[in-house]
mmCIF file of all heavy atoms in Angstrom:
data_model
loop_
_atom_site.group_PDB
_atom_site.id
_atom_site.type_symbol
_atom_site.label_atom_id
_atom_site.label_comp_id
_atom_site.label_asym_id
_atom_site.label_seq_id
_atom_site.Cartn_x
_atom_site.Cartn_y
_atom_site.Cartn_z
ATOM 1 N N SER A 616 16.097 -0.146 -11.276
ATOM 2 C CA SER A 616 16.217 -1.341 -10.431
ATOM 3 C C SER A 616 15.129 -2.347 -10.790
ATOM 4 O O SER A 616 14.239 -2.046 -11.584
ATOM 5 C CB SER A 616 16.062 -0.942 -8.967
ATOM 6 O OG SER A 616 14.854 -0.196 -8.810
ATOM 7 N N GLY A 617 15.208 -3.522 -10.190
ATOM 8 C CA GLY A 617 14.167 -4.537 -10.371
ATOM 9 C C GLY A 617 14.232 -5.223 -11.718
ATOM 10 O O GLY A 617 13.211 -5.580 -12.301
ATOM 11 N N ASN A 618 15.462 -5.447 -12.210
ATOM 12 C CA ASN A 618 15.642 -6.055 -13.536
ATOM 13 C C ASN A 618 14.970 -7.419 -13.679
ATOM 14 O O ASN A 618 14.614 -7.820 -14.782
ATOM 15 C CB ASN A 618 17.137 -6.189 -13.853
ATOM 16 C CG ASN A 618 17.725 -4.858 -14.275
ATOM 17 O OD1 ASN A 618 17.472 -4.397 -15.383
ATOM 18 N ND2 ASN A 618 18.467 -4.218 -13.388
ATOM 19 N N GLY A 619 14.790 -8.111 -12.553
ATOM 20 C CA GLY A 619 14.162 -9.435 -12.596
ATOM 21 C C GLY A 619 12.689 -9.399 -12.995
ATOM 22 O O GLY A 619 12.096 -10.440 -13.261
ATOM 23 N N GLY A 620 12.085 -8.195 -13.035
ATOM 24 C CA GLY A 620 10.649 -8.125 -13.322
ATOM 25 C C GLY A 620 10.315 -7.541 -14.680
ATOM 26 O O GLY A 620 9.172 -7.166 -14.935
ATOM 27 N N LEU A 621 11.302 -7.482 -15.568
ATOM 28 C CA LEU A 621 11.083 -6.773 -16.835
ATOM 29 C C LEU A 621 10.225 -7.540 -17.842
ATOM 30 O O LEU A 621 9.742 -6.969 -18.808
ATOM 31 C CB LEU A 621 12.425 -6.402 -17.477
ATOM 32 C CG LEU A 621 13.302 -5.448 -16.641
ATOM 33 C CD1 LEU A 621 14.585 -5.108 -17.381
ATOM 34 C CD2 LEU A 621 12.535 -4.170 -16.288
ATOM 35 N N GLU A 622 10.032 -8.824 -17.614
ATOM 36 C CA GLU A 622 9.234 -9.603 -18.570
ATOM 37 C C GLU A 622 7.772 -9.741 -18.140
ATOM 38 O O GLU A 622 6.992 -10.476 -18.733
ATOM 39 C CB GLU A 622 9.862 -10.984 -18.796
ATOM 40 C CG GLU A 622 11.255 -10.915 -19.443
ATOM 41 C CD GLU A 622 11.305 -9.979 -20.651
ATOM 42 O OE1 GLU A 622 10.506 -10.154 -21.585
ATOM 43 O OE2 GLU A 622 12.135 -9.041 -20.642
ATOM 44 N N LYS A 623 7.388 -9.035 -17.088
ATOM 45 C CA LYS A 623 5.983 -9.042 -16.635
ATOM 46 C C LYS A 623 5.069 -8.414 -17.678
ATOM 47 O O LYS A 623 5.429 -7.441 -18.323
ATOM 48 C CB LYS A 623 5.868 -8.202 -15.352
ATOM 49 C CG LYS A 623 5.953 -9.007 -14.082
ATOM 50 C CD LYS A 623 4.615 -8.893 -13.305
ATOM 51 C CE LYS A 623 4.632 -9.689 -12.035
ATOM 52 N NZ LYS A 623 5.209 -8.929 -10.940
ATOM 53 N N GLU A 624 3.868 -8.952 -17.802
ATOM 54 C CA GLU A 624 2.851 -8.387 -18.692
ATOM 55 C C GLU A 624 2.152 -7.204 -18.002
ATOM 56 O O GLU A 624 1.805 -7.295 -16.822
ATOM 57 C CB GLU A 624 1.804 -9.444 -19.051
ATOM 58 C CG GLU A 624 2.220 -10.388 -20.154
ATOM 59 C CD GLU A 624 2.320 -9.719 -21.530
ATOM 60 O OE1 GLU A 624 1.561 -8.764 -21.804
ATOM 61 O OE2 GLU A 624 3.179 -10.168 -22.322
ATOM 62 N N VAL A 625 1.924 -6.134 -18.753
ATOM 63 C CA VAL A 625 1.279 -4.938 -18.201
ATOM 64 C C VAL A 625 -0.165 -4.861 -18.704
ATOM 65 O O VAL A 625 -0.421 -5.020 -19.894
ATOM 66 C CB VAL A 625 2.047 -3.664 -18.647
ATOM 67 C CG1 VAL A 625 1.343 -2.411 -18.177
ATOM 68 C CG2 VAL A 625 3.473 -3.722 -18.135
ATOM 69 N N SER A 626 -1.105 -4.618 -17.768
ATOM 70 C CA SER A 626 -2.511 -4.581 -18.168
ATOM 71 C C SER A 626 -3.042 -3.159 -18.323
ATOM 72 O O SER A 626 -4.090 -2.929 -18.911
ATOM 73 C CB SER A 626 -3.359 -5.311 -17.126
ATOM 74 O OG SER A 626 -3.257 -4.629 -15.892
ATOM 75 N N GLY A 627 -2.305 -2.175 -17.772
ATOM 76 C CA GLY A 627 -2.787 -0.798 -17.841
ATOM 77 C C GLY A 627 -1.947 0.077 -16.943
ATOM 78 O O GLY A 627 -0.853 -0.319 -16.533
ATOM 79 N N GLY A 628 -2.454 1.253 -16.612
ATOM 80 C CA GLY A 628 -1.676 2.160 -15.773
ATOM 81 C C GLY A 628 -2.537 2.851 -14.732
ATOM 82 O O GLY A 628 -3.775 2.877 -14.845
ATOM 83 N N TYR A 629 -1.887 3.403 -13.709
ATOM 84 C CA TYR A 629 -2.593 4.199 -12.710
ATOM 85 C C TYR A 629 -1.698 5.365 -12.322
ATOM 86 O O TYR A 629 -0.506 5.186 -12.110
ATOM 87 C CB TYR A 629 -2.940 3.344 -11.473
ATOM 88 C CG TYR A 629 -4.037 3.979 -10.647
ATOM 89 C CD1 TYR A 629 -5.352 3.888 -11.048
ATOM 90 C CD2 TYR A 629 -3.727 4.705 -9.498
ATOM 91 C CE1 TYR A 629 -6.369 4.503 -10.322
ATOM 92 C CE2 TYR A 629 -4.738 5.317 -8.764
ATOM 93 C CZ TYR A 629 -6.050 5.212 -9.187
ATOM 94 O OH TYR A 629 -7.046 5.828 -8.468
ATOM 95 N N VAL A 630 -2.283 6.570 -12.262
ATOM 96 C CA VAL A 630 -1.503 7.772 -11.970
ATOM 97 C C VAL A 630 -1.976 8.383 -10.667
ATOM 98 O O VAL A 630 -3.148 8.783 -10.562
ATOM 99 C CB VAL A 630 -1.670 8.835 -13.082
ATOM 100 C CG1 VAL A 630 -0.645 9.944 -12.902
ATOM 101 C CG2 VAL A 630 -1.554 8.203 -14.448
ATOM 102 N N SER A 631 -1.106 8.433 -9.661
ATOM 103 C CA SER A 631 -1.489 9.045 -8.392
ATOM 104 C C SER A 631 -0.266 9.227 -7.508
ATOM 105 O O SER A 631 0.685 8.456 -7.579
ATOM 106 C CB SER A 631 -2.506 8.154 -7.664
ATOM 107 O OG SER A 631 -2.940 8.783 -6.475
ATOM 108 N N ASP A 632 -0.320 10.267 -6.681
ATOM 109 C CA ASP A 632 0.743 10.467 -5.696
ATOM 110 C C ASP A 632 0.243 10.191 -4.282
ATOM 111 O O ASP A 632 0.964 10.395 -3.313
ATOM 112 C CB ASP A 632 1.292 11.899 -5.798
ATOM 113 C CG ASP A 632 1.828 12.180 -7.192
ATOM 114 O OD1 ASP A 632 2.458 11.273 -7.767
ATOM 115 O OD2 ASP A 632 1.590 13.282 -7.714
ATOM 116 N N LEU A 633 -0.999 9.744 -4.175
ATOM 117 C CA LEU A 633 -1.587 9.403 -2.874
ATOM 118 C C LEU A 633 -1.566 7.888 -2.695
ATOM 119 O O LEU A 633 -2.179 7.152 -3.467
ATOM 120 C CB LEU A 633 -3.031 9.904 -2.794
ATOM 121 C CG LEU A 633 -3.222 11.409 -2.949
ATOM 122 C CD1 LEU A 633 -4.706 11.744 -2.983
ATOM 123 C CD2 LEU A 633 -2.533 12.147 -1.809
ATOM 124 N N LEU A 634 -0.849 7.424 -1.672
ATOM 125 C CA LEU A 634 -0.653 5.976 -1.521
ATOM 126 C C LEU A 634 -1.962 5.237 -1.265
ATOM 127 O O LEU A 634 -2.171 4.148 -1.777
ATOM 128 C CB LEU A 634 0.359 5.696 -0.402
ATOM 129 C CG LEU A 634 1.734 6.365 -0.525
ATOM 130 C CD1 LEU A 634 2.737 5.657 0.357
ATOM 131 C CD2 LEU A 634 2.244 6.401 -1.944
ATOM 132 N N SER A 635 -2.852 5.831 -0.469
ATOM 133 C CA SER A 635 -4.128 5.164 -0.189
ATOM 134 C C SER A 635 -5.002 5.072 -1.435
ATOM 135 O O SER A 635 -5.805 4.147 -1.572
ATOM 136 C CB SER A 635 -4.907 5.911 0.892
ATOM 137 O OG SER A 635 -4.311 5.718 2.146
ATOM 138 N N ASP A 636 -4.860 6.034 -2.326
ATOM 139 C CA ASP A 636 -5.608 6.017 -3.579
ATOM 140 C C ASP A 636 -5.154 4.828 -4.420
ATOM 141 O O ASP A 636 -5.975 4.081 -4.957
ATOM 142 C CB ASP A 636 -5.365 7.346 -4.312
ATOM 143 C CG ASP A 636 -6.107 7.413 -5.635
ATOM 144 O OD1 ASP A 636 -7.187 6.804 -5.761
ATOM 145 O OD2 ASP A 636 -5.597 8.082 -6.557
ATOM 146 N N VAL A 637 -3.836 4.623 -4.489
ATOM 147 C CA VAL A 637 -3.299 3.485 -5.235
ATOM 148 C C VAL A 637 -3.712 2.187 -4.552
ATOM 149 O O VAL A 637 -4.142 1.231 -5.205
ATOM 150 C CB VAL A 637 -1.764 3.589 -5.339
ATOM 151 C CG1 VAL A 637 -1.185 2.388 -6.060
ATOM 152 C CG2 VAL A 637 -1.374 4.877 -6.053
ATOM 153 N N MET A 638 -3.607 2.162 -3.208
ATOM 154 C CA MET A 638 -4.010 0.984 -2.442
ATOM 155 C C MET A 638 -5.454 0.617 -2.750
ATOM 156 O O MET A 638 -5.793 -0.544 -2.948
ATOM 157 C CB MET A 638 -3.893 1.278 -0.943
ATOM 158 C CG MET A 638 -2.631 0.776 -0.317
ATOM 159 S SD MET A 638 -2.223 -0.806 -0.941
ATOM 160 C CE MET A 638 -1.387 -1.610 0.283
ATOM 161 N N GLY A 639 -6.315 1.605 -2.799
ATOM 162 C CA GLY A 639 -7.742 1.358 -2.973
ATOM 163 C C GLY A 639 -8.162 1.125 -4.416
ATOM 164 O O GLY A 639 -9.131 0.417 -4.662
ATOM 165 N N ASN A 640 -7.445 1.697 -5.378
ATOM 166 C CA ASN A 640 -7.988 1.739 -6.736
ATOM 167 C C ASN A 640 -7.126 1.181 -7.858
ATOM 168 O O ASN A 640 -7.635 0.954 -8.956
ATOM 169 C CB ASN A 640 -8.372 3.183 -7.088
ATOM 170 C CG ASN A 640 -9.422 3.725 -6.133
ATOM 171 O OD1 ASN A 640 -10.468 3.123 -5.949
ATOM 172 N ND2 ASN A 640 -9.132 4.831 -5.478
ATOM 173 N N ALA A 641 -5.841 0.978 -7.639
ATOM 174 C CA ALA A 641 -5.020 0.404 -8.716
ATOM 175 C C ALA A 641 -5.280 -1.098 -8.793
ATOM 176 O O ALA A 641 -5.726 -1.713 -7.819
ATOM 177 C CB ALA A 641 -3.539 0.659 -8.459
ATOM 178 N N SER A 642 -5.030 -1.677 -9.959
ATOM 179 C CA SER A 642 -5.244 -3.119 -10.138
ATOM 180 C C SER A 642 -3.939 -3.832 -10.442
ATOM 181 O O SER A 642 -2.977 -3.218 -10.919
ATOM 182 C CB SER A 642 -6.206 -3.383 -11.291
ATOM 183 O OG SER A 642 -7.403 -2.684 -11.088
ATOM 184 N N GLU A 643 -3.955 -5.129 -10.171
ATOM 185 C CA GLU A 643 -2.831 -6.010 -10.445
ATOM 186 C C GLU A 643 -2.276 -5.782 -11.854
ATOM 187 O O GLU A 643 -3.043 -5.547 -12.788
ATOM 188 C CB GLU A 643 -3.373 -7.447 -10.335
ATOM 189 C CG GLU A 643 -2.334 -8.476 -10.101
ATOM 190 C CD GLU A 643 -2.994 -9.829 -9.803
ATOM 191 O OE1 GLU A 643 -4.045 -9.860 -9.137
ATOM 192 O OE2 GLU A 643 -2.443 -10.828 -10.255
ATOM 193 N N ASN A 644 -0.951 -5.847 -11.989
ATOM 194 C CA ASN A 644 -0.255 -5.756 -13.285
ATOM 195 C C ASN A 644 -0.325 -4.390 -13.960
ATOM 196 O O ASN A 644 0.016 -4.261 -15.128
ATOM 197 C CB ASN A 644 -0.748 -6.829 -14.270
ATOM 198 C CG ASN A 644 -0.492 -8.222 -13.738
ATOM 199 O OD1 ASN A 644 0.527 -8.456 -13.096
ATOM 200 N ND2 ASN A 644 -1.417 -9.126 -13.958
ATOM 201 N N GLU A 645 -0.761 -3.370 -13.247
ATOM 202 C CA GLU A 645 -0.719 -2.024 -13.811
ATOM 203 C C GLU A 645 0.637 -1.380 -13.544
ATOM 204 O O GLU A 645 1.357 -1.768 -12.628
ATOM 205 C CB GLU A 645 -1.834 -1.157 -13.209
ATOM 206 C CG GLU A 645 -3.205 -1.526 -13.776
ATOM 207 C CD GLU A 645 -4.340 -0.670 -13.234
ATOM 208 O OE1 GLU A 645 -4.174 0.008 -12.198
ATOM 209 O OE2 GLU A 645 -5.410 -0.703 -13.850
ATOM 210 N N ILE A 646 0.957 -0.370 -14.362
ATOM 211 C CA ILE A 646 2.144 0.444 -14.117
ATOM 212 C C ILE A 646 1.700 1.682 -13.349
ATOM 213 O O ILE A 646 0.724 2.334 -13.722
ATOM 214 C CB ILE A 646 2.822 0.863 -15.444
ATOM 215 C CG1 ILE A 646 3.512 -0.352 -16.067
ATOM 216 C CG2 ILE A 646 3.817 1.991 -15.197
ATOM 217 C CD1 ILE A 646 4.512 0.010 -17.146
ATOM 218 N N TRP A 647 2.425 1.994 -12.282
ATOM 219 C CA TRP A 647 2.066 3.142 -11.429
ATOM 220 C C TRP A 647 2.981 4.317 -11.766
ATOM 221 O O TRP A 647 4.194 4.205 -11.652
ATOM 222 C CB TRP A 647 2.203 2.727 -9.963
ATOM 223 C CG TRP A 647 1.969 3.810 -8.955
ATOM 224 C CD1 TRP A 647 1.396 5.035 -9.140
ATOM 225 C CD2 TRP A 647 2.326 3.748 -7.573
ATOM 226 N NE1 TRP A 647 1.360 5.733 -7.962
ATOM 227 C CE2 TRP A 647 1.929 4.968 -6.987
ATOM 228 C CE3 TRP A 647 2.948 2.776 -6.765
ATOM 229 C CZ2 TRP A 647 2.142 5.251 -5.628
ATOM 230 C CZ3 TRP A 647 3.152 3.048 -5.424
ATOM 231 C CH2 TRP A 647 2.744 4.276 -4.869
ATOM 232 N N ILE A 648 2.369 5.416 -12.160
ATOM 233 C CA ILE A 648 3.110 6.641 -12.486
ATOM 234 C C ILE A 648 2.994 7.611 -11.313
ATOM 235 O O ILE A 648 1.885 7.952 -10.892
ATOM 236 C CB ILE A 648 2.538 7.269 -13.780
ATOM 237 C CG1 ILE A 648 2.748 6.300 -14.956
ATOM 238 C CG2 ILE A 648 3.188 8.625 -14.061
ATOM 239 C CD1 ILE A 648 2.039 6.711 -16.232
ATOM 240 N N THR A 649 4.144 8.058 -10.771
ATOM 241 C CA THR A 649 4.109 8.889 -9.556
ATOM 242 C C THR A 649 5.362 9.738 -9.400
ATOM 243 O O THR A 649 6.367 9.517 -10.081
ATOM 244 C CB THR A 649 3.953 7.990 -8.299
ATOM 245 O OG1 THR A 649 3.794 8.807 -7.136
ATOM 246 C CG2 THR A 649 5.163 7.082 -8.098
#
Side-chain angles (χ1 to χ4, degrees):
Chain A
S616 53
N618 282 286
L621 298 182
E622 296 313 305
K623 265 243 179 86
E624 279 291 329
V625 176
S626 63
Y629 199 78
V630 191
S631 184
D632 302 320
L633 300 175
L634 304 199
S635 287
D636 180 30
V637 178
M638 262 319 209
N640 300 306
S642 305
E643 201 172 323
N644 299 324
E645 286 181 343
I646 288 196
W647 176 15
I648 297 171
T649 185

